[in-house]
Amino acid sequence: MFADLSEFYEWFDERRGKNDYRVTKTALDRMAGWRVDPGDGGIRHHSGKFFSVLGLEVATDHR
């Protein structure tokens, strides 16, 4: 798609200029349909059609 990384940045800057958006921090409990699963603590949408976020802790004696 892009011959080199500079072409990607050029394309991305062009796309960014053609969209109007605003980012605002919002508490999860104010987001319609999103919840913390009490069983595993994962963050999920009730529809199951979006990504989910799970925390994972790994302990090892290897690098």
Side-chain angles (χ1 to χ4, degrees), residues 16-31:
R16 184 172 31 193
K18 292 185 178 190
N19 293 289
D20 183 31
Y21 54 88
R22 179 180 35 223
V23 177
T24 307
K25 284 186 176 184
T26 304
L28 186 65
D29 60 357
R30 297 190 57 172
M31 303 282 292

Side-chain angles (χ1 to χ4, degrees):
M1 181 172 195
F2 303 106
D4 59 41
L5 199 53
S6 65
E7 287 185 16
F8 164 77
Y9 286 122
E10 185 178 318
W11 170 83
F12 189 75
D13 284 340
E14 181 182 332
R15 297 305 314 149
R16 184 172 31 193
K18 292 185 178 190
N19 293 289
D20 183 31
Y21 54 88
R22 179 180 35 223
V23 177
T24 307
K25 284 186 176 184
T26 304
L28 186 65
D29 60 357
R30 297 190 57 172
M31 303 282 292
W34 290 92
R35 66 181 181 90
V36 176
D37 185 310
D40 64 10
I43 299 171
R44 294 189 178 79
H45 192 263
H46 73 89
S47 69
K49 295 183 180 181
F50 294 91
F51 60 87
S52 60
V53 179
L54 297 173
L56 181 63
E57 180 178 3
V58 177
T60 180
D61 60 349
H62 302 286
R63 276 178 64 153

